Amino acid sequence: AQSVTQLDSHVSVSEGTPVLLRCNYSSSYSPSLFWYVQHPNKGLQLLLKYTSAATLVKGINGFEAEFKKSETSFHLTKPSAHMSDAAEYFCVVDNNAGNMLTFGGGTRLMVKP
Amino acid sequence: DAEITQSPRHKITETGRQVTLACHQTWNHNNMFWYRQDLGHGLRLIHYSYGVQDTNKGEVSDGYSVSRSNTEDLPLTLESAASSQTSVYFCASSGDPGSEQYFGPGTRLTVT
């Protein structure tokens, strides 16, 4: 079985300050890990993915995430928040046995001017 | 460009009615998925298919069914709509195992 815990349901930052969205996972397999973003009333867009290559993964719009197996974490970071980053972010694990995804509960990122 | 579309985008129906939500993808992906999104639950898997004539139950499949008669389409049917099925429904597709899933824009369903 696999599970994903996003440690914060809401995160609020000021524009221009760093962003940290935390994600812990558990999996019986060597998983693939993803971060998806969902803007209001939109579908989900892939930000980045980890598939057992480099542990530091760079994604779109300046986001990156680091896979830490010892801590079973896959936190998402961005050095400087922009107003357009305000959205819901989902950490997702794929057990690589049939493309079955398990979603975290989501973190709503708010960016203050 | 390849895409995945859903229709309708919004639907209001009455309790007990049968409802079908359409999902169409032009990626030529073998794998297709249906999820529902509810506050505090992220997305939960309803049904999925790995190819034509293949369908499988997901985590929250009760009250839902799917059929896969071709590669492009995976319609989701609510046999007898219930208020608990008020939700936003997302369809997704993927190619190779472990690859990313591409999501449709969603259908907001309200059951009154």
Side-chain angles (χ1 to χ4, degrees):
Chain A
Q2 56 192 26
S3 65
V4 182
T5 302
Q6 292 184 239
L7 298 168
D8 306 292
S9 59
H10 294 80
V11 170
S12 181
V13 301
S14 297
E15 191 175 20
T17 64
V19 175
L20 170 64
L21 306 183
R22 298 181 295 165
C23 171
N24 287 352
Y25 72 93
S26 68
S27 176
S28 304
Y29 303 86
S30 296
S32 296
L33 294 160
F34 306 83
W35 276 97
Y36 280 86
V37 60
Q38 183 181 30
H39 290 278
N41 300 313
K42 301 287 187 184
L44 279 76
Q45 179 186 15
L46 181 70
L47 270 181
L48 50 82
K49 63 180 178 181
Y50 166 78
T51 55
S52 77
T55 56
L56 183 62
V57 182
K58 293 187 184 299
I60 62 172
N61 299 333
F63 284 94
E64 63 181 36
E66 185 172 9
F67 174 71
K68 292 186 176 181
K69 187 174 182 179
S70 61
E71 299 177 11
T72 61
S73 68
F74 191 57
H75 300 335
L76 181 71
T77 60
K78 182 174 181 177
S80 177
H82 191 273
M83 295 297 291
S84 61
D85 294 329
E88 186 98 21
Y89 291 80
F90 293 97
C91 182
V92 183
V93 61
D94 181 344
N95 66 6
N96 289 323
N99 202 201
M100 302 294 291
L101 301 185
T102 300
F103 284 76
T107 298
R108 181 164 298 277
L109 175 65
M110 294 166 283
V111 182
K112 297 175 291 185
Chain B
D1 289 347
E3 61 178 355
I4 180 166
T5 57
Q6 294 182 234
S7 61
R9 295 294 312 279
H10 297 87
K11 174 79 175 177
I12 300 174
T13 191
E14 296 177 343
T15 302
R17 291 193 180 269
Q18 184 181 79
V19 177
T20 296
L21 308 182
C23 174
H24 179 80
Q25 54 100 359
T26 58
W27 293 97
N28 199 34
H29 285 159
N30 285 324
N31 307 328
M32 295 185 73
F33 307 84
W34 273 105
Y35 298 89
R36 60 178 289 172
Q37 182 178 29
D38 305 289
L39 275 175
H41 287 280
L43 275 72
R44 291 181 291 175
L45 183 64
I46 305 172
H47 281 284
Y48 58 101
S49 168
Y50 291 141
V52 176
Q53 302 301 331
D54 176 74
T55 62
N56 306 278
K57 294 181 178 181
E59 178 188 356
V60 290
S61 61
D62 287 348
Y64 303 94
S65 64
V66 294
S67 61
R68 188 89 180 271
S69 59
N70 59 53
T71 300
E72 296 80 17
D73 299 290
L74 187 70
L76 177 72
T77 297
L78 286 69
E79 306 294 346
S80 176
S83 58
S84 60
Q85 294 176 309
T86 292
S87 187
V88 181
Y89 292 86
F90 288 97
C91 180
S93 71
S94 69
D96 298 332
S99 61
E100 69 176 281
Q101 291 187 12
Y102 293 83
F103 285 82
T107 294
R108 184 175 296 275
L109 177 67
T110 302
V111 183
T112 61

